Amino acid sequence: MTSGTLCPCGSKKPFASCCAPILKDHRKAITAEQLMRSRYSAYTLAKNEYLITTWATETRPDSLDLDLDDTSIKWLELEIEECEGGETGDEKGTVTFTARFLSSGHLCQLHEKSRFVRRQNLWYYLDGETHSTTAKVGRNSPCPCGSEKKYKKCCFASQKG
């Protein structure tokens, strides 16, 4: 990503001053929301190791079964809906969000209420209650990425590659 590129987390801030410093140094996430945003950015940038190291040890999988380099997935948007706790003086917090992405011709939405814990001044993802939906995107529909092109001339064409 270039220095002026907007952060994938949807903050509307440059990546270089938003999630990039946190992806390099987990300690820079001073709130649960910042950790949540950086984890979303890690998904979009295929940073598996970061996702594992920011996961609480008691619920952390041994490895991620995700192929984050899979080009059939295109991350579109993160919407933070609600934060409870998770501030600098808190030991726990929740972040409710919806992440939208394209996968194999389907518009997918992952809605999650994530729980975070703070240990030794570091925030960690604990677990979450999830709900997901998928809908087929028509070839002549507007592309969900927001380009204002038809899906067949935009993301569909790039997935066919």
Side-chain angles (χ1 to χ4, degrees), residues 139-153:
R139 290 172 40 92
N140 289 315
S141 299
C143 193
C145 77
S147 69
E148 299 184 11
K149 296 179 185 176
K150 288 185 177 184
Y151 177 60
K152 69 182 177 186
K153 297 282 188 179

Side-chain angles (χ1 to χ4, degrees), residues 11-87:
S11 66
K12 298 187 177 155
K13 297 177 186 173
F15 175 67
S17 61
C18 188
C19 288
I22 299 169
L23 291 169
K24 289 180 184 167
D25 184 355
H26 175 191
R27 293 175 293 192
K28 296 194 186 240
I30 60 172
T31 67
E33 181 181 350
Q34 286 177 329
L35 185 67
M36 173 65 240
R37 287 182 178 279
S38 71
R39 285 177 56 84
Y40 175 83
S41 291
Y43 275 99
T44 70
L45 299 169
K47 303 273 187 193
N48 287 13
E49 187 175 326
Y50 179 80
L51 293 166
I52 290 291
T53 60
T54 58
W55 207 313
T57 56
E58 63 268 32
T59 57
R60 177 189 307 159
D62 293 332
S63 65
L64 287 178
D65 292 335
L66 302 173
D67 180 6
L68 296 179
D69 289 323
D70 184 352
T71 57
S72 71
I73 295 175
K74 180 174 182 169
W75 294 93
L76 301 174
E77 175 184 36
L78 173 67
E79 178 185 348
I80 303 292
E81 296 162 10
E82 182 178 26
C83 297
E84 296 176 33
E87 297 297 323

